[in-house]
């Protein structure tokens, strides 16, 4: 049986892990970023690894799935399954794509069972159609130990925010941010990998051409969290030091850290054993909005963590979300003030995207379009640009941040246009996702135990 994993446009870590698991189980498996390559490879089974809700509406992916199925020599002799973060809403996946089943949640074990035995209610963590009904079986957490990932030859040419690849040190997050699907997908209990296994994997990535890596896993400093109920600082430092010895400190980054899980020791380790940046999800300068977002931290905690990092010589990137349901102009102005006051080194602005199944998606469904910044026409300073309120705030905050950074950028025409284009693109994407969400309102299917 020839299996091709299709991970559109980039090799996700999850797709490489599943590839490694299948290879180790004896399957003939390859991994590609390009659906056209998969069609030419003569696959019997396609595993579509999808990480964005927008993939469900991508004509290239939709057509590929339909063409693969209709190309069967006889009904049932080919199969196409979908996995990845979008498996958190299997009803929408099965409604939008012509596929046989969805591998729900962590797929390491259920994918092997599915390939060996075919679709069955006895396999945990899959969803499929049975006449008019959608059957979903309850996913189980996979074992945290696993074989070496399937690493493609051209991994060294990939760039995800500057890194060739992300690697996973642990799964789960104890946070409950309303816009995030990590706790639902991986659970709220932290499961950490052993350092020797992580290092062996990094050495293999390096041998395959990876020069820069980023550590993912929700919030990096939660590595080995659990036994003491607080950050395991020594384990995190040991981990960073071991990774830096393989890659060199300037080739390692820890992109996402919660402000309430850093202290001086953690920040000094980030300074010494990584490229020296932290990226905090600050989200808003308004305590009201932080509560609505369920961040579990307030403005004071955000400012404290920023200043602590700056005192430790660590550069600080901040992520912000605009256009959340209920965000008033006053809330938005507080976010602008926070950016003015904190001299961040870099800023990322996102329009709130309602990933199906999150608390945010429920809020968006309860909000009438006339009160949702994603659809409200902006009538203020940028009226002539015909933006929505979310787009205008995204554009305005991005420009504002460029001028308030520790080293301000000069606002050139190309920079202005790039910020405008990005805000429009984000606004369009979030509108599309919101319409998809509304289309499946109330269709949530129940898992079988
Ligand atoms: S801390 Fe990060 S990973 Fe955890 S729930 Fe919040 S956004 Fe998600």
């Amino acid at each position: 049986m020839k299996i091709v994993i299709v991970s559109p446009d980039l090799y996700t870590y999850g797709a490489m892990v599943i590839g490694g698991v299948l290879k180790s189980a004896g399957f003939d498996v390859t991994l590609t970023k390009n659906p056209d390559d998969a069609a030419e490879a003569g696959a019997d089974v396609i595993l579509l690894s999808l990480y964005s809700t927008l993939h469900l509406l991508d004509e290239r992916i939709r057509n590929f799935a339909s063409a693969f199925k209709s190309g069967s020599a006889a009904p049932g002799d080919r199969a196409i399954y979908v996995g990845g973060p979008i498996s958190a809403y299997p009803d929408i996946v099965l409604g939008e794509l012509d596929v046989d089943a969805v591998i729900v949640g962590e797929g390491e074990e259920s994918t092997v069972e599915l390939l060996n035995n075919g679709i069955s209610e006895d396999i945990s963590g899959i969803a499929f159609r049975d006449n008019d009904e959608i059957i979903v079986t309850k996913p189980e957490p996979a074992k945290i130990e696993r074989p070496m990932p399937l690493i493609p030859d051209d991994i060294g040419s990939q760039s995800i925010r500057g890194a060739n690849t992300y690697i996973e040190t642990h799964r789960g997050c104890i946070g409950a941010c309303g816009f995030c699907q990590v706790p639902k997908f991986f659970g709220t209990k932290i499961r950490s990998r052993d350092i020797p296994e992580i290092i062996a994997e990094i050495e293999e990535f390096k041998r395959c051409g990876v020069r820069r890596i980023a550590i993912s896993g929700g919030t990096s400093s939660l590595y080995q969290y659990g036994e003491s109920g607080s950050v395991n600082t020594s384990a995190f430092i040991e981990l960073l030091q071991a990774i830096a010895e393989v890659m060199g400190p300037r080739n390692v980054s820890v992109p996402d850290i919660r402000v309430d899980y850093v202290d001086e020791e953690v920040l000094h380790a980030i300074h010494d054993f990584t490229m020296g940046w932290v990226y905090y999800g600050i989200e808003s300068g308004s305590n009201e909005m932080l509560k609505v977002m369920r961040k579990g931290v307030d403005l004071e905690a955000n400012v404290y963590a920023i200043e602590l990092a700056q005192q430790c010589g660590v550069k600080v990137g901040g992520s912000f979300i605009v256009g959340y349901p209920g965000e008033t102009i006053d809330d938005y102005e507080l976010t602008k003030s926070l950016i003015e006051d904190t001299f961040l080194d870099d800023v990322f602005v996102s329009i709130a995207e309602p990933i199906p199944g999150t608390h945010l998606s429920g809020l968006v469904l309860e909000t009438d379009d006339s009160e949702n910044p994603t659809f409200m026409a902006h009538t203020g300073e940028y009226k002539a640009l015909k933006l929505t309120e979310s787009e205008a705030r995204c554009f305005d905050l991005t420009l504002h941040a460029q001028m308030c950074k520790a080293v301000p950028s000069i606002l050139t025409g190309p920079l202005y246009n790039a910020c405008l284009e990005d805000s429009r693109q984000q606004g369009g994407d979030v509108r599309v996702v919101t319409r998809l969400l509304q289309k499946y309102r109330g269709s949530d299917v129940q898992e079988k135990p």
Side-chain angles (χ1 to χ4, degrees), residues 149-414:
L150 183 65
I151 305 173
D153 294 341
D154 57 347
I155 188 77
S157 62
Q158 171 163 288
S159 175
I160 310 169
R161 280 163 71 182
N164 300 123
T165 189
Y166 279 63
I167 60 128
E168 187 181 69
T169 58
H170 60 279
R171 285 184 176 174
C173 182
I174 56 176
C177 305
F179 48 84
C180 175
Q181 68 172 161
V182 168
K184 185 177 173 196
F185 197 90
F186 287 122
T188 51
K189 187 171 179 300
I190 306 298
R191 291 167 289 141
S192 302
R193 304 174 67 201
D194 289 335
I195 289 179
E197 190 187 315
I198 296 169
I199 293 303
E201 184 178 282
I202 290 173
E203 284 169 341
E204 183 64 9
F205 270 115
K206 189 175 177 189
R207 197 188 62 73
C208 294
V210 163
R211 283 156 288 118
R212 290 183 73 175
I213 61 157
I215 299 171
S216 75
T219 190
S220 310
S221 60
L222 288 178
Y223 179 70
Q224 292 288 5
Y225 180 97
E227 276 126 59
S228 62
S230 59
V231 171
N232 188 335
T233 308
S234 58
F236 180 65
I237 294 172
E238 190 188 343
L239 171 75
L240 288 192
Q241 191 165 7
I243 295 174
E245 276 168 20
V246 178
M247 296 302 297
R250 297 300 156 223
N251 298 316
V252 180
S253 68
V254 283
D256 302 308
I257 294 238
R258 270 183 74 98
V259 297
D260 46 348
Y261 295 114
V262 289
D263 58 19
E264 277 186 48
E265 267 190 285
V266 164
L267 288 163
H268 282 304
I270 288 171
H271 179 272
D272 293 344
F273 303 125
T274 78
M275 60 190 285
W277 282 74
V278 282
Y279 297 85
Y280 292 141
I282 298 168
E283 326 303 4
S284 176
S286 153
N287 275 330
E288 278 311 305
M289 289 317 301
L290 291 172
K291 271 190 216 139
V292 174
M293 292 178 186
R294 301 183 162 193
K295 271 305 287 189
V297 294
D298 60 12
L299 177 62
E300 197 183 342
N302 276 333
V303 172
Y304 176 77
I306 294 167
E307 290 177 353
L308 190 64
Q310 289 167 336
Q311 284 158 20
C312 293
V314 172
K315 291 192 182 294
V316 184
S319 299
F320 293 85
I321 298 177
V322 294
Y324 221 82
E327 184 191 55
T328 63
I329 284 291
D330 288 346
D331 293 317
Y332 173 67
E333 289 297 333
L334 287 169
T335 303
K336 284 183 84 169
S337 300
L338 175 62
I339 287 180
E340 242 165 68
D341 295 342
T342 46
F343 302 101
L344 296 166
D345 294 285
D346 207 356
V347 171
F348 303 92
V349 183
S350 304
I351 294 176
E353 179 187 335
I355 298 173
T358 58
H359 179 256
L360 170 59
S361 72
L363 284 183
V364 166
L365 285 174
E366 287 167 10
T367 306
D368 192 81
D369 283 359
S370 62
E371 293 181 357
N372 184 344
T374 291
F375 296 101
M376 288 158 59
H378 172 70
T379 54
E381 186 183 349
Y382 305 107
K383 188 174 176 199
L385 295 173
K386 298 191 185 322
L387 302 173
T388 63
E389 190 54 35
S390 289
E391 289 168 352
R393 288 181 198 179
C394 182
F395 178 53
D396 182 62
L397 196 63
T398 310
L399 290 184
H400 182 69
Q402 295 299 329
M403 290 178 280
C404 297
K405 287 193 301 191
V407 180
S409 300
I410 295 167
L411 187 56
T412 59

